[in-house]
Amino acid sequence: VDSLFERYFQQTNEYLDLDLTLDRINGAVKEAVGAIGAKTVHIAGTNGKGSTSQFIAALLEKQGHSTLLFTSPHIIDITERIRHRLIPVTPDEFDSLFRQAEPFIVKYRLTYFEAVFLMAVIHCKNTAPEYLILETGLGGRYDATNTDVITVKTPVITSISEAHKYILCGKITEIVCEKAAVIKITSPVCMACNPAFIIGLFQKEIPEGRIEFILPDMSRLDEARAFYSDPYSYNYLNAHNVAEHLLQKKMAFEKLPLPMCRQEVFGRIMFDGAHNPAGLISLFKSFKTMPSAVILSTTRDRDVAKFCRLVERYVPDIILTSIPGNPRAQEPG
């Protein structure tokens, strides 16, 4: 869709600006929206954020609670990033949201990601859902979704690895520090299945005794595996734990749709959005039979040679391609 939003950012290239600060988005949200009335669920982590976010929204909707879901990136169309009651906004709605947000996008020189997030919270104000579910983009501390305007929320931490270390910082302890920045001291933290040392690092980041960590019941993993292969079984278990915590009641396990490109099969081809070493390893471990070839594309900020060396452990043939229409795409060769 050739939206007004995309035309604007094609002209400005502002989305290439990675100035890590919350000043711009804080000012824009305060001026455009003010207070956010929805109960907020904030998902951070390295892998599993997108499926966990959608699972949480779907579980809440199944129980009769309205949601607005903000995720990234999109697969086909940018409207996928803003979903009210699990339905993406229409192109006309997206253009309308851009018109409402444009004065603040221009005034505060918002980046691409910040601008879409601002449009999402404007849509939240317009539709007044009970729950606002936010997936972080990069990191946590300076992610637009970590705006100071949202002071009360339920933080959710998915699996942690070193995927963003070259942008954020170099050590896993520092990565945990960045992710932990989404945690406020006013609410328990729903923590996915992570190694004990990762959970320990998060506990060290929070003043002792002031935060409760709510962990999924791992004895129910086989129930989740009846519906999903790994790693999505873990993500579903995490989301189910979050929904039970939010609603304060036990819920049955059930099959829910996965987002696009999560082990999505068309004929003999599987599409998956694994985008870092941990995600790729988890994907290959889920296969009963290895594929004969892998078609790989990535962005320039990622080490494509490292990706290829990892894939070669499992599959001999790799075809490199580029992401159409993406100015950050890694070109083959």
Side-chain angles (χ1 to χ4, degrees), residues 190-204:
C190 292
M191 175 72 70
C193 175
N194 274 290
F197 84 94
I198 293 287
I199 296 174
L201 290 174
F202 272 95
Q203 289 170 332
K204 288 179 182 179

Side-chain angles (χ1 to χ4, degrees), residues 305-333:
K306 182 177 181 180
F307 279 19
C308 289
R309 289 193 298 270
L310 192 157
V311 172
E312 284 174 337
R313 298 180 195 172
Y314 302 93
V315 179
D317 293 328
I318 304 171
I319 302 168
L320 290 178
T321 185
S322 62
I323 306 168
N326 189 327
R328 295 172 55 218
Q330 176 78 49
E331 294 297 329

